[in-house]
Amino acid sequence: MKNKMILGKSIEKWKEEYPLLNKLTSTEEVFWTNPKYTKFEEAIRKITLTEKDIIDAEERLERFASYIKKIFPETKENNGIIESPIVEIPTMKKHIEKSFNQNIFGDLLLKCDSHLPISGSIKARGGIYEVLKHAEDLAIQHGMLTKEDDYSILDSDEFRKFFSNYSIAVGSTGNLGLSIGIMSAKLGFKVTVHMSSDAKKWKKDLLRSKGVIVVEYESDYSKAVEEGRKQSDADPNSYFVDDENSKNLFLGYAVAASRLKKQLESLNIVVDQDHPLFVYLPCGVGGGPGGVAFGLKLAYKDNVHCFFAEPTHSPCMLIGSMTGTHDKVCVQDFGIDNITAADGLAVGRASGFVGRTLENLLSGVYTVNDDQLYVLLSALADTENFYLEPSALAGIPGVVDLFKTEAGEKYLEYNNLKDKMKHFTHIVWATGGSMVPKVEMNQYYQYGITLSSLK
Ligand SMILES: *Cc1c(COP(=O)(O)O)cnc(C)c1O
């Protein structure tokens, strides 16, 4: 349809207003900085969520630690707190500087949510948190639990029987389903995961092996969510985890910030006005990166700069934020197909809740093409021996773009950052990968090697 209208305007008109749409619709890589980015103290006034909400989430996770430790032995070392390491990646930094022909000023670190216990992705933060919160709400409502109890009592037939009267449902491209499914099944809930067509077979198999009901859809993530919600809403004892609007998910992710702060302190990495922090977060619907970014802004205010990364074929947060239309549009409206190998990021419509919450706090969004993800995947494996899933590599090009693009240059100038470049710390958020089966991972790696040799 040539004259298709999007919110009452033709594509040509949108492109006239936002020229970057020309590149976006031809799936070229772009780096966009947010003209609405504002000083923290001013931006936070418009947001209803507060530090108190994050502390509440943090305390809830602490209450559950004795239970988590008991049922997931891999969390024993960290006393039942689900957290990931952060590491410097100096060899990868040199490799990037060489292959992109661009100096990277400051230190480069990798936040390894790829290696979070239980489900091996950033979803082990928000997803697991939301299930635990729901379980706690139910048990307290029914007089079975108080906040003062030792929550390891949840690991009992009595509680499993109680939770089996309730259902949990979620729509997912894969990793959220893994987190929600594994955690819910362990507690005893009946759990259904509605999976989009791009979800990997091994994720479905793994979930089924844990007693999770997996429903598959031919279409993309939005459809899986829609159907999941419909079926769940029909059952009063069913709870639907709403990836697009859930404040609980968001707060579960946000807890990452205070943990990261402690990790940086123990590495003697200073973050202050003269030592700014840059964080690069792969973005799907927005909850994960949004929650983490929100927590980081509360922790570091104007001294942290958060950028989101999206596949060139799924730039939903970029288009929603740039045009201010958020969830009123999807990438398909603009003729972009939402087909990408970055399965956690294959989302055509961003969360309106996240987009609006971060309207003035997000520094920018950039896009990365799929081939680049594979090339970086094998480079990171060769240089640092870290094996991530393709989506999780999307953070890396942002570090290059910040220095190499005109928009990045302007951002540094406008925010008076140019004389501080030597003291920058960059954190690339590695959002998933440790649960990918070896055979699959080896295919990713080989594909990356093949692409690199063609360059
Ligand atoms: C889900 C996911 C993301 C992004 O999180 P959203 O909440 O969907 O924005 C990034 N990377 C991986 C590997 C994911 O699974």
Side-chain angles (χ1 to χ4, degrees), residues 128-284:
I128 288 177
Y129 173 74
E130 174 139 17
V131 173
L132 295 178
K133 167 129 189 356
H134 181 57
E136 185 187 57
D137 288 348
L138 284 174
I140 290 178
Q141 264 169 34
H142 288 80
M144 295 181 67
L145 185 74
T146 71
K147 288 186 180 173
E148 287 69 42
D149 285 334
D150 176 346
Y151 280 24
S152 63
I153 57 169
L154 291 167
D155 178 30
S156 63
D157 288 339
E158 185 198 356
F159 274 96
R160 277 184 289 271
K161 184 153 176 283
F162 169 67
F163 290 128
S164 73
N165 297 314
Y166 299 90
S167 307
I168 292 185
V170 66
S172 171
T173 62
N175 285 338
L176 185 64
L178 276 187
S179 292
I180 302 279
I182 293 172
M183 191 66 247
S184 305
K186 261 286 194 248
L187 281 158
F189 285 107
K190 274 190 263 177
V191 50
T192 308
V193 177
H194 300 264
M195 288 253 186
S196 52
S197 55
D198 49 330
K200 297 279 181 291
K201 184 176 179 296
W202 69 264
K203 293 182 183 173
K204 298 173 193 165
D205 293 345
L206 179 69
L207 281 172
R208 288 189 172 118
S209 80
K210 309 239 177 218
V212 175
I213 303 160
V214 177
V215 185
E216 300 178 52
Y217 295 87
E218 295 284 316
S219 46
D220 79 354
Y221 160 86
S222 295
K223 186 77 189 164
V225 171
E226 191 189 315
E227 276 304 312
R229 188 195 312 270
K230 214 188 290 167
Q231 292 180 23
S232 180
D233 285 354
D235 174 0
N237 276 349
S238 179
Y239 179 82
F240 183 71
V241 177
D242 183 352
D243 199 11
E244 288 164 351
N245 297 293
S246 168
K247 293 204 169 67
N248 290 326
L249 270 177
F250 191 80
L251 291 170
Y253 290 120
V255 171
S258 61
R259 311 247 186 96
L260 179 78
K261 198 165 181 222
K262 284 188 203 126
Q263 288 182 319
L264 291 181
E265 280 162 11
S266 72
L267 291 169
N268 291 318
I269 293 172
V270 177
V271 180
D272 63 18
Q273 203 182 347
D274 298 316
H275 303 78
L277 177 64
F278 293 81
V279 184
Y280 308 88
L281 296 139
C283 177

Side-chain angles (χ1 to χ4, degrees), residues 376-433:
L376 290 168
L377 186 153
S378 29
L380 187 68
D382 287 342
T383 55
E384 306 280 353
N385 201 28
F386 274 110
Y387 288 79
L388 308 181
E389 59 185 279
S391 312
L393 277 302
I396 289 182
V399 188
V400 177
D401 293 350
L402 181 68
F403 298 110
K404 208 179 170 105
T405 63
E406 205 183 311
E409 176 97 13
K410 279 200 184 129
Y411 182 87
L412 295 176
E413 222 166 78
Y414 186 76
N415 290 286
N416 298 316
L417 294 161
K418 290 214 95 169
D419 54 343
K420 301 169 187 167
M421 296 203 312
K422 270 192 296 195
H423 304 299
F424 283 6
T425 299
H426 306 275
I427 297 179
V428 165
W429 214 277
T431 44

